[in-house]
Amino acid sequence: MPLMTLNDVDYSVGGPLLLDGVELAIERGERVALIGRNGAGKSTLMRLIDGEIRPDDGEIRREQGVRVTRLEQEVPAGADGSVFDVVAGGLGEAGAALAEYHRLLHAEDYDALADVQARIEALDGWRIDQRVTEVLERLQLDGDAEFTRLSGGMKRRVLLARAVVSAPDILLLDEPTNHLDIAAIDWLEGFLKQWPGAIVFVTHDRRFLRALATRIVEIDRGKVTSWPGDWHNYVRRREERLNAEAQEQARFDKLLAQEETWIRQGIKARRTRDEGRVRRLEAMRNERAQRRDLTGNVRMAAAQANASGKKVIELKDVSFAFGERRLIDGFSTTIFRGDRVGLIGANGTGKTTLLKLLLGELQPQSGEVKAGTQLQIAYFDQYRATLREDWNALENVAEGQDFVEINGTRKHVIGYLQDFLFTPERARAPITRLSGGERNRLLLAKLFAQPSNLLVMDEPTNDLDVETLELLEELLAEYPGTLLLVSHDRDFLDNVVTSTLVMEGDGHVGEYIGGYEDWLRQRPQPGTALPATTLAPKAATTAAPADATATRRKLSYKDQRELEQLPGRIEQLEAEIARLTSEMQGATFYQRDAAAIAAHGEQLRTAQEALDAAYQRWTELDA
């Protein structure tokens, strides 16, 4: 039986329904990825599941006793005190009493302790105290540390502890990888894979999504569709659906155009026209008016300045330390025009310091930094400090001008912002009303309006939907100038950069050719940026013989026959999964009894496992 079921749920914030007739069931133990464009309603659906808001129409059913907790994108207001206080705050009245008990104990206020102890015993709080301690140990957190002094990544870990301490049946995670470094993201993947309850999560990190999701739920123009299986299965099926939708809409529009031509014919035709045909035309007009077209893609173009000198930045034997803590020790490198350099490292290892040294915002304590000639720098700040809160989107980009010029073409600011999916009304709205994804798009619009030949981007991927992320990758790959990129998005690094600078600890900065995966292959031994457990498969890869063809064995007759039959087997399994998925998306599916729904889900899981095994076997035999 599902932990929670949404039946024909509607929700609106004005205008067309944000969520329209949602049918969704959440099963025990599954990991559901919510995807969709910025503003599609992902966070709203999470709030409905959490019970924070109620639907305008429809029904949400919870199995009796089901607990739901949510990890939000931002640190909640009032989250202060020790780490223990913040984590215990996720346990309601008993947690608050425990937090007070620990504060009084540290303050040695023994007179007040007796009253608090009595409250804790009445609430069965000592058992809860043990649970908080276990969660802190499991997540490697210091309960006595001051929450407000922690790094952004550690704060996210504390808030995750707060969310899981109540052992929820459904754990909701909204952008859990934001502000986490690569090591923390890998740790979080492993932690969540072992989580026994159901997980519903939203993320922009495609590798994290592929590693974690057992089902993908898409929100598109108010409609929610479920896609069992992995990310690649979803992408393929979605393209098929969109192609079919485009063909059907083209057929409908052609028929509507023919009917519109007929209705506008001369007087003789109007005297003899069929009244039933007129009514059908009216119905077609209404249907076309209600159609919600697919949201367009961002159209990005970066304003380019004149080319810089060939040598952009040169570092010679540069060192920098904060007190006794040495971040950079005797580092030398040269960045040339056209290089796309990624900076990798755990939070606090000195990536931002190195970036500031490269840009001349910090002076080295020893060594020399030389900037090249004719540099024009555009800087993307992950904290969006360059956006003025007292201005709207239009004013932030225009800065008093009516037009922007992009590579010789003048555009009105309103038209330019429409390229970044801002309607004229949204462009004039106060910036405080913009979502995280909209703010990131606005910062990109502001950045690309500035002519540059050196682009510096610090975590540009946060809160962007997948479509915008892929377009940004394409733009950066074609950018003719020089790029310095700080990112914890492993796929983004692989797709964009041509070399990496890695903060390896103890002041050492490693320099490698290629992206993140290339660094994993090239480094001589595990560094500090990732836990050793994530490196075992890569170590095995690097130890493989250089001449792979020398070790290839000839397939036996049986294996050769199996290899020939596998494509047909895979095609059958994909057809079976498509049939089962289509049945699940039917309007009457969840009207069946619980046993039939569970059997259908088990059949689908079995087919998906067989498909995965067939692909794996094909890869083995083909190699």
Side-chain angles (χ1 to χ4, degrees), residues 77-256:
D80 52 18
S82 70
V83 167
F84 186 98
D85 295 342
V86 175
V87 174
L91 292 167
E93 185 181 353
L98 282 171
E100 184 179 355
Y101 173 81
H102 278 260
R103 286 196 297 273
L104 293 172
L105 194 63
H106 281 291
E108 299 182 356
D109 186 351
Y110 300 110
D111 293 334
L113 275 175
D115 291 337
V116 178
Q117 283 177 313
R119 281 166 45 207
I120 292 173
E121 288 169 2
L123 295 165
D124 192 21
W126 299 121
R127 180 177 57 84
I128 293 175
D129 181 64
Q130 183 181 1
R131 188 190 300 171
V132 174
T133 302
E134 288 173 355
V135 169
L136 292 175
E137 291 176 355
R138 189 176 179 188
L139 273 64
Q140 302 171 8
L141 294 169
D142 178 6
D144 294 328
E146 189 68 26
F147 178 75
T148 55
R149 295 183 179 180
L150 298 178
S151 67
M154 288 305 294
K155 284 181 179 178
R156 295 292 286 177
R157 189 177 292 205
V158 172
L159 294 175
L160 177 64
R162 177 188 173 105
V164 305
V165 72
S166 61
D169 300 288
I170 301 176
L171 178 61
L172 306 175
L173 305 173
D174 199 350
E175 295 288 3
T177 62
N178 273 7
H179 310 300
L180 296 185
D181 57 39
I182 292 175
I185 293 171
D186 277 334
W187 169 85
L188 183 60
E189 279 181 14
F191 176 82
L192 294 177
K193 283 180 179 178
Q194 302 301 317
W195 181 253
I199 299 173
V200 181
F201 67 99
V202 176
T203 184
H204 67 271
D205 189 320
R206 291 157 293 179
R207 189 170 300 198
F208 182 83
L209 186 154
R210 290 197 303 269
L212 205 60
T214 59
R215 178 157 65 111
I216 291 172
V217 170
E218 179 193 44
I219 306 176
D220 181 21
R221 291 163 286 176
K223 298 295 183 182
V224 171
T225 51
S226 179
W227 307 82
D230 61 13
W231 171 256
H232 296 295
N233 176 61
Y234 156 74
V235 170
R236 184 177 69 254
R237 298 282 170 78
R238 183 174 186 269
E239 285 301 316
E240 292 170 358
R241 188 197 70 187
L242 290 177
N243 286 335
E245 180 183 304
Q247 291 174 10
E248 175 59 26
Q249 289 182 355
R251 186 197 64 79
F252 178 90
D253 291 344
K254 182 178 180 180
L255 181 59
L256 177 59

Side-chain angles (χ1 to χ4, degrees), residues 155-455:
K155 284 181 179 178
R156 295 292 286 177
R157 189 177 292 205
V158 172
L159 294 175
L160 177 64
R162 177 188 173 105
V164 305
V165 72
S166 61
D169 300 288
I170 301 176
L171 178 61
L172 306 175
L173 305 173
D174 199 350
E175 295 288 3
T177 62
N178 273 7
H179 310 300
L180 296 185
D181 57 39
I182 292 175
I185 293 171
D186 277 334
W187 169 85
L188 183 60
E189 279 181 14
F191 176 82
L192 294 177
K193 283 180 179 178
Q194 302 301 317
W195 181 253
I199 299 173
V200 181
F201 67 99
V202 176
T203 184
H204 67 271
D205 189 320
R206 291 157 293 179
R207 189 170 300 198
F208 182 83
L209 186 154
R210 290 197 303 269
L212 205 60
T214 59
R215 178 157 65 111
I216 291 172
V217 170
E218 179 193 44
I219 306 176
D220 181 21
R221 291 163 286 176
K223 298 295 183 182
V224 171
T225 51
S226 179
W227 307 82
D230 61 13
W231 171 256
H232 296 295
N233 176 61
Y234 156 74
V235 170
R236 184 177 69 254
R237 298 282 170 78
R238 183 174 186 269
E239 285 301 316
E240 292 170 358
R241 188 197 70 187
L242 290 177
N243 286 335
E245 180 183 304
Q247 291 174 10
E248 175 59 26
Q249 289 182 355
R251 186 197 64 79
F252 178 90
D253 291 344
K254 182 178 180 180
L255 181 59
L256 177 59
Q258 291 172 350
E259 295 299 291
E260 292 286 4
T261 300
W262 170 79
I263 200 69
R264 290 179 175 83
Q265 286 177 350
I267 296 172
K268 180 179 179 181
R270 284 201 297 273
R271 285 200 207 101
T272 59
R273 67 189 174 207
D274 181 3
E275 292 300 326
R277 193 172 179 182
V278 173
R279 287 194 295 271
R280 286 196 299 273
L281 173 59
E282 188 65 29
M284 291 178 71
R285 286 173 173 172
N286 291 336
E287 183 179 344
R288 181 63 185 88
Q290 293 171 10
R291 182 195 296 172
R292 295 172 67 175
D293 292 321
L294 191 67
T295 303
N297 283 325
V298 172
R299 294 189 293 273
M300 296 185 191
Q304 299 169 16
N306 293 329
S308 66
K310 185 175 181 181
K311 191 180 291 185
V312 176
I313 303 171
E314 184 178 13
L315 276 68
K316 290 183 178 178
D317 201 27
V318 167
S319 297
F320 194 91
F322 285 112
E324 298 296 320
R325 187 170 168 226
R326 185 163 291 278
L327 298 177
I328 300 166
D329 188 9
F331 177 55
S332 299
T333 190
T334 302
I335 297 172
F336 292 96
R337 182 178 63 227
D339 286 350
R340 297 194 293 275
V341 183
L343 276 66
I344 298 177
N347 289 335
T349 55
K351 297 189 301 297
T352 301
T353 300
L354 178 57
L355 198 62
K356 289 183 176 180
L357 288 167
L358 289 168
L359 297 178
E361 294 180 10
L362 273 180
Q363 295 302 313
Q365 293 165 344
S366 64
E368 184 181 13
V369 179
K370 287 184 179 179
T373 58
Q374 300 180 11
L375 289 184
Q376 287 186 252
I377 302 171
Y379 184 77
F380 183 100
D381 171 27
Q382 66 164 316
Y383 299 108
R384 304 161 188 156
T386 56
L387 297 178
R388 284 187 53 168
E389 296 288 325
D390 57 333
W391 284 0
N392 59 28
L394 185 66
E395 292 165 335
N396 266 283
V397 172
E399 297 184 349
Q401 303 296 317
D402 291 330
F403 293 87
V404 295
E405 186 166 325
I406 309 294
N407 302 325
T409 302
R410 292 181 82 236
K411 272 193 172 183
H412 194 277
V413 178
I414 290 289
Y416 177 67
L417 283 172
Q418 285 178 326
D419 289 346
F420 287 82
L421 306 185
F422 287 94
T423 62
E425 295 77 18
R426 203 67 178 156
R428 294 187 177 93
I431 195 173
T432 52
R433 294 186 186 174
L434 301 184
S435 67
E438 287 175 318
R439 287 193 177 212
N440 248 24
R441 287 205 311 270
L442 178 60
L443 195 53
L444 288 174
K446 181 179 176 70
L447 180 79
F448 293 150
Q450 306 171 28
S452 68
N453 50 35
L454 174 57
L455 198 54

Side-chain angles (χ1 to χ4, degrees), residues 548-564 617 620-623:
T549 58
T551 63
R552 281 186 71 151
R553 63 181 177 86
K554 185 176 180 180
L555 292 178
S556 66
Y557 175 79
K558 181 180 177 182
D559 287 344
Q560 184 63 42
R561 284 285 296 162
E562 184 182 2
L563 179 60
E564 292 170 356
R617 183 61 174 157
E620 292 171 0
L621 293 175
D622 191 55

